[in-house]
Amino acid sequence: MDAFEARLQFVQVIKNLHKTLHKKRDTSPSGAALSSSGSSSGSAFTDPVQFYLKHFEHHYEDFQQCFFETALNMDSLDRLNVLIYWSRIISSLWPRCLKNVDGQWNIQGKVLFEFLLLDLNKMVDIVLPKEDWKSLTNLDVSIEVLQFIISLVKSDSNALNFEPYKEDGLEKYQKLLELDRSHIVDQFSESIWNKINEKSFEFEWVEHTKQPTCEQSIIQCLQILVDRRSKAFILQEAYRKHLVLNLPNTSQLPTVLHRMENDRERHKKSKEHRWFIERDDMMDTIEFDTIWNSFSLGMNRNDYQNIKTIQEIAQASYKYLEN
């Protein structure tokens, strides 16, 4: 597969993340039979992580560029899938990173430390762009994703070293992320409260900058998340005070309809793999016993008449078939 074809296929993989990233394994009898015969309709969508792992050695630079270009063309609410995809690739490559005898990383380590982790701050900034208030909907999941990545890289002290950044480093911003809402709101400056009272949403936003090391990139990710969390609390306080807000529109796309369509698609996909109905009272005999006992006195005249009528209809049908 040449570079052009690889880019086209990878762009399509990214665009279909809302269908494939959270897809559950089909455990239904019909699904298993179809998958074994190779005729499953779901096989048209490739597993996104496996696609990357299969082709990244020859196309990782093209894939990196496709990540950013495709994500920027998405609605900001849908970019969260790209960040989750990014983290799953990191998780898959992490155990495969090895150093050669000369101390150089193998191809997995090169891609992980020189591309994915080094540009993680840029991806977080794309998922939570400045002045895009609606993107704050994805803030909680973005924090969880970054915390997962941090726990992964901290599991091996030889891979990354955060010691030189103690003063303005990892632990400082992690503690800021753990602060509760009331504590952060109490620290709002007078200028912030004035803007809230005036319904002004012109604030300074933290943006990513190119960092020389993976450690600094991860720290800047935390800075962005701390800033976005503060903006989310500002928005909440403004709503508490004014009830109705006229936020600046940062996108011309029909966001609500687009989101509804994605939710409908995910709901449909999840239902396709549910071939059973969960009922706790499936073996309950109360309903059966009630109906059975209602006929304990036996059949009456009407029941016999109905049986006779059915028999006559059946005999007439047989005569018709004989003719």
Side-chain angles (χ1 to χ4, degrees), residues 4 23 25 33 35 50 58 65 78 84 93 96 132 135 193 213 225 250 284 296 300:
F4 180 72
K23 184 177 180 181
R25 184 178 179 182
S35 60
Q50 292 302 319
H58 301 288
Q65 187 177 1
D78 298 323
I84 296 174
L93 290 179
R96 309 182 188 190
D132 192 333
S135 69
W193 285 113
T213 64
L225 293 178
T250 57
D284 192 358
S296 59
N300 53 29

Side-chain angles (χ1 to χ4, degrees), residues 10 198 224 284:
F10 191 61
E198 297 170 0
I224 294 173
D284 192 358

Side-chain angles (χ1 to χ4, degrees), residues 2 26 31 53 55 73 82 97 121 129 143 147 150 156 170 242 256 264-265 267 269 303 310:
D2 58 19
D26 190 357
L53 296 179
H55 301 289
N73 290 328
V82 183
C97 296
N121 59 338
I143 293 175
Q147 288 176 339
I150 291 174
D156 185 0
L170 195 68
H242 304 291
V256 176
R264 186 195 66 81
E265 186 70 24
H267 180 72
K269 289 293 181 182
D303 294 329
I310 294 174

Side-chain angles (χ1 to χ4, degrees), residues 172-185:
K172 171 186 174 181
Y173 290 103
Q174 282 185 315
K175 290 179 180 178
L176 290 175
L177 278 179
E178 294 172 358
L179 293 176
D180 58 16
R181 176 185 171 280
S182 60
H183 188 84
I184 296 177
V185 172

Side-chain angles (χ1 to χ4, degrees), residues 303-318:
D303 294 329
Y304 286 109
Q305 184 63 38
N306 291 336
I307 292 175
K308 185 177 180 180
T309 303
I310 294 174
Q311 187 178 16
E312 291 175 353
I313 294 174
Q315 289 177 351
S317 300
Y318 296 150

Side-chain angles (χ1 to χ4, degrees), residues 17 21-22 49 67 79-95 112 116-117 120 123-124 141-150 152-153:
L17 284 177
L21 189 62
H22 308 288
V49 177
F67 262 127
R79 297 173 188 174
L80 181 63
N81 286 328
V82 183
L83 180 61
I84 296 174
Y85 182 33
W86 189 288
S87 69
R88 291 188 182 179
I89 294 174
I90 291 176
S91 177
S92 299
L93 290 179
W94 183 260
L112 183 63
L116 295 175
L117 288 178
L120 181 60
M123 179 54 66
V124 172
V141 179
S142 299
I143 293 175
E144 292 179 6
V145 170
L146 188 63
Q147 288 176 339
F148 166 75
I149 294 175
I150 291 174
L152 188 67
V153 299

Side-chain angles (χ1 to χ4, degrees), residues 206-261:
V206 176
E207 298 182 73
H208 86 281
T209 55
K210 185 65 177 178
Q211 299 297 322
T213 64
C214 297
E215 292 89 345
Q216 290 173 295
S217 175
I218 292 175
I219 291 172
Q220 190 172 74
C221 289
L222 290 171
Q223 292 176 339
I224 294 173
L225 293 178
V226 169
D227 176 72
R228 301 303 188 263
R229 192 162 180 254
S230 175
K231 297 299 188 297
F233 293 145
I234 290 174
L235 185 63
Q236 292 176 12
E237 290 301 315
Y239 181 76
R240 285 172 179 268
K241 184 174 182 61
H242 304 291
L243 297 181
V244 177
L245 298 176
N246 186 18
L247 294 174
N249 187 14
T250 57
S251 175
Q252 300 299 323
L253 296 175
T255 304
V256 176
L257 294 178
H258 188 63
R259 193 71 167 185
M260 289 172 61
E261 176 64 21

